[in-house]
Every structure is written in C-alpha cells, then in structure tokens.
C-alpha cells in the first residue's frame, strides 16, 4: 500500500470508498467507536457565537431521563460524520464552438442559473471562452459562482492560507486537528481533491503522533478510523487502544478491517466475534503488518489484566472475603 502524496484513498485507485463507508455495518461500528463524551461534545467552542448563561433546575427522575435523551439526540446530530467519497472527475463538457466570435472579447463570460432553492450541484453554470467555446463550468468555477449568489456560512471565495502546506504544517504541529478538519468541511465539498488532500494529511499526522484521543467523541473520529483501516494502517491505533485497555474497541477496528478488506485472511478463520482478544490475535497472526509490536502490546495488556486480578484477589483475601 502506498500513500497518495496528493491525498485521498489509495489502496485500490479505482475502488470507491463511498458504498463501503455508507453500508449499515460499517456505519454502526464507526458510530460505536466514536464515543459520546458529553463534556467534549457540548464543550465551549470559540466560534464567535454568543454564549447563553447556564440554567439550573430541579428535576424529577423522569424529567432528567427526558433531558438525557434530548442530549443524546443532539449529540448524534453534532457527531454526524462527514461523508467519505471518491475524488470527483474533472468536467470537460463542451456545449458548442463558435469560431466566428473568436477574439471578440479577451475575457470569459460566465452564465449562472440563479433559480432560488436549486441545489448547487444541479445549478447550471456555463462559460463562454474568448476563443468562442461554450462549455460547462469547471467545479472550481461553479463553486465560485454558487458562493457569490448563494453564499455558505464559513466558506470563502478564496481558500484560506491555512490550507497551504507551510501554514498547515504549523497548525498541525500545535495539534489543532479538529479545527483544520472543521475548516476543510466548511470550505470544500467532500469529493474535492483539496478536501481529500487536507484530510489525509491530518489523518497521517494524527497517526504519526498517535493523538487519536484529540478526535475521539468528535465527528471526525469515524472517518479517521475508516481512512486508517482502508489504507491498512491500523497498527498504531490498535496499540494505542490496548494501552488504554480498550480491548472491545480493538475488536471493533478488526471487524471494520474485515468489512473493508473482504479477502483478508483473518476473516476466513472461525473466531467468535464476542471473543475480543481472540479476534485481535487472529488479525495479528494473519493480517498485521507489524506483528511483533502488536504481540508485545497484547502481552503488556494481558500482564496488566493479570496484575489487576491478582490485586483484587489479594484485597478480598485481606478482608476475609
């Protein structure tokens, strides 16, 4: 597997990740491993929105349960994952050629359908070039026209300097992963080559520094795990989860791997999916690219579990239990 320097999903260039990402089983796993830490989901954000003062209320148990359900529904909305799509194809649709008007003007003319309520993707935008060619606007031209006539909050006509390599590197060094990903979601469409480049750079940085917890309980954790699994780079993530004693999350990542890479060897082995450790060991033995490191991590995890069990038994013995 080679990493595409321009970003995106590259284990099989012609394979579309969207059908896999949106499949029910994959979505279930991604939502599960994302987690729902209310303190993180509803934390104060520096988005220039005026904060409302906190309210304190006395509630019955039923009222509290209802409030918790409302919080869960709202958190599900906040944690809605950005879609994972294949890079879009360039538009090269020539409508007509009129050599008679060549050189009439030295600039382009852009014609935009400004019908109210029309989705941006279906809005017709055509360009008349100075050589007389009438063509469908490129993605970039169409998006610029849409932003002029139907501006989207947080999107600029010209992409911010944040996404330029030298600035992006500095921001990632500070660990501002969520900020960069949120900004990319606001500025670009999910199949834009720039969006795919930026997100892959962020995900690679997170994986390199093993800062997965910074994106946990955010809408970007699921796509991060999907990216790493798609590109067969889950070893560091598994080691990190084992160090946090999150064995079930490790098993979920392995299940995700088997759903994405249906021809993997570990999927052919009959392992009880509820036996999390055995499922992980099967992956390590048959599919892992870093067997030794993962085996050491599993041994360290098992040793911690044994020591804790022994400690609990000693405590019970000391209390005559």
């Amino acid at each position: 597997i080679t990493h595409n320097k321009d970003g995106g999903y590259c284990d099989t260039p012609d394979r579309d990740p969207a059908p896999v990402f949106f499949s029910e089983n994959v979505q279930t796993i991604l939502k599960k491993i994302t987690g729902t830490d209310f303190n993180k989901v509803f934390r104060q954000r520096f988005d220039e929105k005026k904060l409302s003062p906190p309210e304190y209320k006395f509630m019955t148990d039923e009222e509290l349960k209802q409030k918790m359900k409302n919080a869960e529904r709202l958190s599900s909305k906040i944690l809605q994952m950005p879609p994972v799509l294949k890079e879009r194809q360039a538009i090269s649709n020539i409508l007509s050629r009129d050599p008679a008007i060549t050189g009439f003007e030295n600039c382009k003319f852009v014609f935009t359908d400004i019908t109210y309520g029309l989705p941006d993707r279906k809005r017709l935008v055509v360009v008349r070039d100075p050589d007389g060619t009438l063509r469908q606007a490129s993605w970039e031209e169409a998006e610029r026209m849409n932003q002029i006539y139907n501006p989207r909050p947080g999107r600029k006509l010209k992409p911010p300097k944040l996404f330029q390599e030298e600035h992006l590197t500095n921001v990632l060094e500070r660990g501002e992963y969520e900020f960069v990903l949120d900004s990319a979601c606001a500025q670009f469409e999910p199949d834009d080559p720039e969006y795919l480049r930026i997100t892959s750079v962020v995900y690679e940085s997170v994986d390199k520094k093993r800062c997965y917890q910074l994106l946990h309980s955010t809408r970007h954790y699921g796509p991060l795990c999907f990216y790493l699994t798609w590109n067969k780079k889950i070893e560091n993530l598994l080691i990190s989860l084992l160090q946090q004693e999150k064995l079930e999350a490790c098993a979920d990542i392995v299940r995700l791997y088997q759903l994405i890479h249906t021809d993997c060897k570990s999927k052919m082995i009959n392992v009880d999916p509820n036996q999390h450790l055995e499922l992980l060991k099967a992956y390590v033995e048959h599919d892992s690219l870093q067997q030794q490191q993962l085996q050491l991590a599993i041994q360290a995890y098992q040793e911690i579990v044994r020591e804790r069990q022994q400690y609990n038994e000693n405590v019970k013995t000391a209390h005559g239990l």
Side-chain angles (χ1 to χ4, degrees):
I1 305 302
T2 57
H3 177 61
N4 183 352
K5 66 180 180 179
D6 297 323
Y9 294 78
C10 51
D11 73 330
T12 306
D14 296 329
R15 190 183 179 194
D16 186 358
V20 181
F21 178 79
F22 288 109
S23 66
E24 184 178 354
N25 290 336
V26 168
Q27 283 290 304
T28 299
I29 292 176
L30 293 179
K31 290 176 181 177
K32 179 183 177 183
I33 62 180
T34 292
T36 309
D37 181 353
F38 285 160
N39 290 327
K40 191 170 185 178
V41 174
F42 298 111
R43 72 191 184 281
Q44 178 181 344
R45 295 176 181 270
F46 299 99
D47 53 8
E48 300 182 356
K49 292 182 180 179
K50 186 177 180 180
L51 296 175
S52 56
E55 295 183 6
Y56 299 92
K57 296 181 180 180
F58 289 101
M59 295 183 180
T60 64
D61 289 344
E62 288 300 320
E63 290 173 334
L64 181 59
K65 288 179 181 179
Q66 185 59 44
K67 284 291 183 181
M68 292 299 294
K69 289 181 180 179
N70 293 341
E72 290 174 0
R73 283 196 292 267
L74 180 57
S75 66
S76 297
K77 184 177 180 180
I78 294 174
L79 294 175
Q80 180 66 45
M81 292 177 283
V84 174
L85 305 176
K86 187 178 181 180
E87 182 179 326
R88 64 197 183 194
Q89 298 297 314
I91 297 175
S92 58
N93 185 16
I94 305 299
L95 302 177
S96 70
R97 298 183 185 275
D98 298 289
I101 61 175
T102 300
F104 182 77
E105 283 287 349
N106 58 5
C107 61
K108 301 176 183 179
F109 286 87
V110 182
F111 304 90
T112 307
D113 181 359
I114 58 173
T115 302
Y116 179 77
L118 198 65
D120 287 351
R121 290 270 179 160
K122 295 184 179 180
R123 192 177 300 280
L124 179 63
V125 182
V126 298
V127 179
R128 175 74 75 177
D129 289 325
D131 65 358
T133 300
L134 182 67
R135 58 177 174 80
Q136 186 177 349
S138 67
W139 289 109
E140 294 74 18
E141 292 167 333
E143 287 172 356
R144 191 158 60 247
M145 292 301 104
N146 279 317
Q147 185 61 17
I148 290 173
Y149 292 107
N150 302 284
R152 291 192 180 186
R155 182 170 294 186
K156 311 294 183 182
L157 279 174
K158 185 177 180 180
K161 292 183 178 180
L162 163 68
F163 301 122
Q164 296 175 6
E165 185 174 354
E166 60 271 22
H167 301 294
L168 183 59
T169 301
N170 291 334
V171 176
L172 295 181
E173 284 295 328
R174 301 198 300 268
E176 301 287 346
Y177 304 118
E178 187 180 6
F179 171 73
V180 174
L181 292 170
D182 282 342
S183 300
C185 287
Q187 183 63 38
F188 303 107
E189 294 298 310
D191 58 354
D192 190 316
E194 270 297 279
Y195 176 84
L196 296 174
R197 177 188 70 84
I198 292 163
T199 53
S200 76
V201 168
V202 175
Y203 297 152
E204 292 288 342
S205 178
V206 172
D207 185 49
K208 181 180 179 180
K209 298 181 180 180
R210 302 190 184 186
C211 297
Y212 311 105
Q213 281 300 112
L214 292 178
L215 291 180
H216 191 259
S217 284
T218 74
R219 60 178 176 156
H220 304 293
Y221 189 77
L224 163 68
C225 294
F226 184 86
Y227 173 88
L228 295 175
T229 309
W230 182 273
N231 287 286
K232 298 183 178 181
K233 296 181 177 183
I234 61 174
E235 274 70 19
N236 287 343
L237 176 59
L238 291 174
I239 292 172
S240 178
L241 291 171
L242 279 172
Q243 291 172 344
Q244 299 171 55
E245 301 181 40
K246 295 182 178 180
L247 182 60
E248 185 175 355
C250 289
D252 287 331
I253 294 295
V254 172
R255 293 189 191 97
L256 179 64
Y257 184 93
Q258 293 176 348
L259 287 172
I260 293 176
H261 304 287
T262 54
D263 58 344
C264 66
K265 296 178 181 178
S266 61
K267 188 174 183 179
M268 309 303 174
I269 302 174
N270 187 20
V271 178
D272 185 349
N274 295 317
Q275 298 295 321
H276 301 149
L277 187 58
E278 296 305 315
L279 190 64
L280 177 59
K281 286 182 176 180
Y283 165 79
V284 172
E285 181 179 353
H286 298 283
D287 294 311
S288 176
L289 302 177
Q290 299 179 26
Q291 273 192 3
Q292 186 174 2
Q293 292 92 324
L294 270 172
Q295 287 171 348
L296 291 174
I298 291 174
Q299 291 172 9
Y301 167 79
Q302 289 178 308
E303 184 62 29
I304 291 173
V305 172
R306 281 195 296 267
E307 289 178 357
R308 183 178 293 111
Q309 290 175 345
Q310 184 63 46
Y311 173 78
N312 291 334
E313 290 175 4
N314 291 341
V315 170
K316 290 180 180 179
T317 301
H319 286 83
L321 300 177

